[in-house]
Amino acid sequence: MNNQAPFIAPQKFTSAADALAQVQSIYAQSIAHLRACMQAFVAGDDSLGHVRAFYPLVRLHTNTVSRTGKAEGAGLSYGFVAGPGRFETTLTRPDLYGRYYLGQFQLLLNNHAVELEICTSTQPIPVHFSFADNDHLEGEMSAERRARMRDVFDLPDLAAMDDGIANGTYAPGPGEPQPLSLFTAPRVDYSLHRLRHYTGTRPEHFQNFVLFTNYQFYIDEFIALGRAAMADPLSAYSTFVEPGNLCTHRVASVGAAPQFEGQSPPRLPQMPGYHLVREDGSGISMVNIGVGPANAKNITDHIAVLRPHAWIMLGHCAGLRNSQQLGDYVLAHGYVREDHVLDEELPLWVPIPALAEIQVALEQAVADVTGLQGSALKSILRTGTVASTDNRNWELLPDNQAQRRFSQSRAVALDMESATIAANGFRFRVPYGTLLCVSDKPLHGEIKLPGMANHFYRERVDQHLRIGMRAIELMRERGLDQLHSRKLRSFAEVAFQ
């Protein structure tokens, strides 16, 4: 016996707001059904049958390749389908994605002058994705009863969560619709749950601009800047969020005390996240991803479903040129990918281009923060190829194999994360950039020593972080129509940003 949430037949809308309201209604009914049945199951009810609820779906039909091309959004690289046909995608968490969905719906209506269909899909919502925050009902059950959950509820199905659309390998069968979005609703829900686990903060706190680092020193400085912003009643940021969803709210007036909400966790998560929140979501999130390309791929796989406007890597690197000095900056304009973690999803023959909009913002930010111009700026900032490796001790390889490859590639710096973050940005259509700071020169006998390292960190971390934050300010000021590059869009691209 099936115990299903109400099925809502397709309804057509020419208003983005009305379409979103219908999505919200369908999702709310489905989640309420799952939660009520789950509570009954935990209480011992064995008469539920097979409980099911389904994601909402948006569908668009168009018979022409042409677009109406209304002025608003006409210059964007997204917001339109590639040609005639039927396009659809499942949707989730309209409470989190409401502003995003509203924008995507409006662009589709502007560009195609057709109706949007909203209805209940045939994609079940896994019961795990229906739990409210801090809702751990399954923890109250015995192991035997937990095992029975799969007989009563739909559990996560990895076959519905792959990245075939983003990777360009998905091909609809005859009569099947083409995708509207890079991610299905189950794939989005999966990553939202992973983000809570890895960063220790709710996905609602993430902002549209993300900084990644591989050193806690940068996080310590970001915390100091975040708390200082909350003590300034004129700050553009309204809240500073730390792991455990500890929120510090901006003071209302000079001399007032910041307001706190939540509490710090007993231990930090694997990749702690921190967020300088703006009311419109255009603030800055910063994540300490730790060391290595596996971590870099993992966290960007999940943050990508939030559809950020840009992410930037701020980290340390080995300088490969004798002319470089410790503390010099490297602005990556190309990448040698020896990280291997993305070889299956993004073949090595795919070039990862530099994005002019981010390159310009980062170079201008270095000039703004350091106060240097012209030849003085070039003396501390070098643009070049960055190599990323999965071998932390690459310099110990026999016969100088790695050194030869890096020399042939004209690489000027080496780290373990930057190429991975850039490649995943390319793969997921998220604008990306890299600004590194030379912390050692192993090929030239300058390795990190405790005294040298401490001096280096004191001198450079604050400046480097401020450069990254200034670059985000510049990108925000210049507008999103300048930021989302057509370089990241494929021949037959999905419509959603």
Side-chain angles (χ1 to χ4, degrees), residues 230-231 248-260:
M230 294 305 97
T248 305
H249 300 290
R250 183 187 58 210
V251 299
S253 60
V254 176
Q259 299 298 307
F260 298 94

Side-chain angles (χ1 to χ4, degrees), residues 271-346:
M271 288 182 270
Y274 301 80
H275 315 278
L276 263 174
V277 176
R278 288 170 62 106
E279 297 295 344
D280 62 357
S282 66
I284 305 172
S285 291
M286 189 165 194
V287 181
N288 181 359
I289 63 175
V291 176
N295 276 3
K297 177 184 182 299
N298 186 9
I299 197 64
T300 48
D301 279 351
H302 300 312
I303 290 180
V305 306
L306 297 173
R307 309 316 298 143
H309 293 315
W311 59 42
I312 295 175
M313 177 66 191
L314 299 180
H316 295 164
C317 64
L320 300 182
R321 300 301 177 92
N322 195 40
S323 58
Q324 292 169 307
Q325 303 296 321
L326 300 188
D328 283 356
Y329 294 115
V330 174
L331 177 58
H333 72 181
Y335 300 89
V336 175
R337 295 168 50 201
E338 293 207 354
D339 46 53
H340 302 302
V341 296
L342 279 168
D343 291 0
E344 293 183 13
E345 288 92 346
L346 195 68

Side-chain angles (χ1 to χ4, degrees), residues 19 66 108 126 206 246 276:
S66 64
L108 289 172
F206 271 84
L246 175 61
L276 263 174

Side-chain angles (χ1 to χ4, degrees), residues 363-386:
E363 183 171 357
Q364 183 61 53
V366 176
D368 290 350
V369 173
T370 63
L372 300 177
Q373 300 288 336
S375 59
L377 179 62
K378 291 182 179 180
S379 71
I380 67 160
L381 174 66
R382 180 159 189 165
T383 301
T385 297
V386 170

Side-chain angles (χ1 to χ4, degrees), residues 22-39:
Q22 184 73 342
V23 170
Q24 293 167 330
S25 176
I26 294 172
Y27 184 78
Q29 289 185 56
S30 294
I31 293 300
H33 180 72
L34 287 176
R35 289 179 179 174
C37 290
M38 185 63 184
Q39 289 172 348

